[in-house]
Amino acid sequence: MVAARVTVNGEEAPIAPAPAHTTVLDFLRERGLTGTKEGCAEGECGACSILVARPGVDKPTDWVAVNACLVPVAALDGQEVVTSEGLATTGAPGTPPVLHPVQKEMAVRGGSQCGYCTPGFVCSMAAEYYRPDRCAHADAEGGSDAEHGPNGFDLHALSGNLCRCTGYRPIRDAAFAVGAPTEEDPLARRREQAPPAPVATEYAQDDSVFVRKDTLAETLRLLRERPDAVVVAGSTDWGVEVNIRSRRAGCVIAVDRLPELRELRVGPDAVEIGAALTLTEIERRLDGEVPLLAQLFPQFASRLIRNGATLGGNLGTGSPIGDSPPALLALEASVVLADADGEREVPLAEYFTGYRQSVRRPDELIRSVRIPLPLSPVTAFHKIAKRRFDDISSVAVAFALDVRDGVVRKARIGLGGVAATPIRALATEAALEGRPWTAETAEAVAPVLRDEGTPMDDHRASAAYRSAMLGRSLLKLYTRTTEAVSS
């Protein structure tokens, strides 16, 4: 097997002798690329943002921004990385490098003071700069809205980057001032070629091994041999365990590039989403085809996290405050579990068995998520958190209602943050079905929803607050749906 290597700013670099748990952040800093910085070690500040060449949606390659503090460097074996230092281009002999357009705008518009967060902002901004479908955006009055510049720049691209001294206005000004890449731009031209193909990896150092197999069948056989292994895709959860809790694993198995886990199919009876597709890939490939997921994605962490996080990972952790389970419960989704002998399909409502526990066995992987069709037409995702974006839910509520002739024919409601597992609001569903969809019904059933689950007091919210938010969410749903109809 070829020695593990990663291409950084156009130059190949061996990963050895870095320990198997080494993050991309630490690997880059050891090589003197100190623009990439550690701020939080949890994927919340974006100071470590880098660009990675990934399979594109509109072009063969997308430049994707990810948190270098979370990703094991062994996961980028054979892959291609660009850091803030690699964005500038070499000038004539004896002259300094030519700033990248994003770097130039940040400089001339005062987008940097202490500079600690600046390289991360620049990399996240560069990923949006190179987004192939970015184009001029205007609202009904002919100007740009609060979250999109006239150049089509989506400020959500920076939602995972924090700045504590510059202030965001000059950073936004820089983002809204960048133009389109020129034909001579080497990173723009790079998008026209395929990204590096995944390579089989077996990187062993210090009694630990990081493994990526070529196929799902090989991976499942290995998982049966090593049931103690930690399975990772985007490492947005495991990376925090490594950094904050100093956890180590004897064997880490990567599944993020397995082709069998990266399929997305929309058929006549179901939408099937591969467990290793990132949330960004799902969002862009579905393009609003599942409206409830389209409402969920912008509220799920940040773009940096969504560029690595997967549905398989979010369900695999079994967290009661994961954002995707409530939406998938409301959509009546099921998970396809695979082992070395075959597959089985489990309704998500029967998947969770306890706090961070599920019916999935240690030798099984989540291969895909299936959402049955047709979809209920009235949907909403309500996330109650202290911050609008990039925060953990105190309560999450997902609705999917089929309302015909003014009557609720079917109701499915998923809840997160109010019990040891994500749950369906079964009593509320039963109370709604068969009743007219009116303000009186919403008022009458809201107390039922208030009493669903077993909310608790913690540092995010009190049990009383969580219950109150449940009741208000149904009233909010009714108000929003009637406003949409009347408008």
Side-chain angles (χ1 to χ4, degrees):
M1 187 172 288
V2 178
R5 307 178 71 83
V6 59
T7 299
V8 181
N9 298 333
E11 297 183 4
E12 275 199 351
I15 293 175
H21 67 268
T22 301
T23 63
V24 177
L25 167 68
D26 289 339
F27 174 79
L28 293 173
R29 292 185 64 81
E30 284 292 324
R31 294 184 57 80
L33 297 170
T34 53
T36 308
K37 296 186 171 61
E38 180 180 293
C40 66
E42 295 183 277
E44 294 186 357
C45 75
C48 64
S49 173
I50 60 170
L51 298 177
V52 180
R54 290 293 194 218
V57 176
D58 298 303
K59 287 185 177 291
T61 289
D62 279 347
W63 286 111
V64 175
V66 299
N67 292 113
C69 74
L70 299 178
V71 181
V73 67
L76 296 185
D77 179 21
Q79 302 302 296
E80 189 175 342
V81 170
V82 173
T83 70
S84 59
E85 294 91 343
L87 288 171
T89 55
T90 304
T95 64
V98 178
L99 288 179
H100 187 276
V102 166
Q103 294 171 319
K104 180 179 178 181
E105 293 296 344
M106 283 285 281
V108 301
R109 296 179 190 279
S112 176
Q113 285 191 35
C114 81
Y116 194 95
C117 69
T118 304
F121 266 101
V122 163
C123 284
S124 293
M125 201 177 292
E128 177 67 6
Y129 175 75
Y130 288 115
R131 179 165 60 86
D133 60 345
R134 181 174 66 90
C135 58
H137 176 92
D139 61 20
E141 284 72 40
S144 59
D145 64 33
E147 296 176 354
H148 297 84
N151 58 355
F153 193 101
D154 183 357
L155 275 183
H156 285 283
L158 306 181
S159 64
N161 295 82
L162 300 181
C163 175
R164 293 176 175 85
C165 61
T166 299
Y168 294 102
R169 188 181 61 81
I171 296 172
R172 183 200 60 186
D173 291 346
F176 285 0
V178 293
T182 65
E183 293 182 0
E184 296 76 28
D185 187 319
L187 294 181
R189 293 202 309 268
R190 176 66 185 81
R191 299 177 302 179
E192 306 300 330
Q193 304 169 356
V199 298
T201 301
E202 188 167 336
Y203 181 73
Q205 290 285 341
D206 303 330
D207 299 322
S208 296
V209 61
F210 183 98
V211 183
R212 171 181 283 114
K213 294 293 187 181
D214 284 321
T215 67
L216 177 60
E218 292 176 286
T219 303
L220 292 171
R221 286 195 293 270
L222 175 61
L223 192 58
R224 176 161 290 181
E225 296 168 6
R226 296 293 304 263
D228 61 319
V230 172
V231 177
V232 299
S235 292
T236 55
D237 188 76
W238 175 245
V240 176
E241 296 293 314
V242 170
N243 293 337
I244 303 301
R245 297 178 180 85
S246 299
R247 289 191 60 190
R248 303 291 182 261
C251 178
V252 174
I253 301 175
V255 300
D256 57 316
R257 310 316 295 170
L258 291 176
E260 300 93 333
L261 272 61
R262 291 184 49 76
E263 299 175 350
L264 191 152
R265 294 190 294 271
V266 180
D269 302 318
V271 176
E272 184 154 3
I273 303 171
L277 286 169
T278 69
L279 301 184
T280 292
E281 289 174 316
I282 299 168
E283 179 183 17
R284 291 179 175 167
R285 288 174 62 176
L286 282 178
D287 194 23
E289 198 151 351
V290 181
L292 183 53
L293 294 184
Q295 295 174 60
L296 160 70
F297 289 138
Q299 302 179 68
F300 192 115
S302 67
R303 177 62 71 192
L304 279 170
I305 293 296
R306 295 197 297 276
N307 286 343
T310 64
L311 285 183
N314 203 226
L315 297 175
T317 63
S319 172
I321 53 174
D323 281 341
S324 72
L328 294 173
L329 284 168
L331 292 169
E332 298 183 279
S334 60
V335 292
V336 178
L337 300 174
D339 66 12
D341 297 323
E343 296 180 352
R344 61 183 176 129
E345 185 172 354
V346 179
L348 190 61
E350 301 172 11
Y351 173 77
F352 301 103
T353 58
Y355 179 74
R356 290 191 176 270
Q357 296 177 335
S358 70
V359 299
R360 182 175 61 86
R361 300 190 306 269
D363 66 337
E364 286 183 310
L365 288 177
I366 300 175
R367 184 180 69 76
S368 64
V369 174
R370 285 182 182 155
I371 299 170
L373 297 176
L375 302 171
S376 294
V378 178
T379 60
F381 181 77
H382 297 167
K383 177 172 178 173
I384 294 92
K386 292 183 178 180
R387 295 196 305 263
R388 185 180 175 199
F389 298 114
D390 198 13
D391 201 0
I392 295 173
S393 297
S394 298
V395 180
V397 188
F399 296 96
L401 274 58
D402 185 359
V403 180
R404 283 175 287 166
D405 300 322
V407 176
V408 180
R409 306 295 181 182
K410 185 173 80 169
R412 296 293 182 266
I413 305 171
L415 305 179
V418 296
T421 67
I423 61 171
R424 282 258 304 275
L426 298 175
T428 306
E429 294 173 0
L432 283 172
E433 290 179 347
R435 300 182 69 163
W437 186 229
T438 62
E440 290 75 18
T441 294
E443 289 281 358
V445 177
V448 181
L449 186 53
R450 278 182 60 106
D451 292 337
E452 296 275 14
T454 54
M456 60 179 288
D457 295 323
D458 63 18
H459 64 284
R460 292 191 183 92
S462 66
Y465 178 81
R466 287 185 163 101
S467 293
M469 290 302 97
L470 288 178
R472 294 300 304 173
S473 66
L474 186 61
L475 303 176
K476 177 180 178 180
L477 173 71
Y478 176 76
T479 301
R480 293 287 175 85
T481 55
T482 52
E483 285 176 350
V485 171
S486 61
S487 63

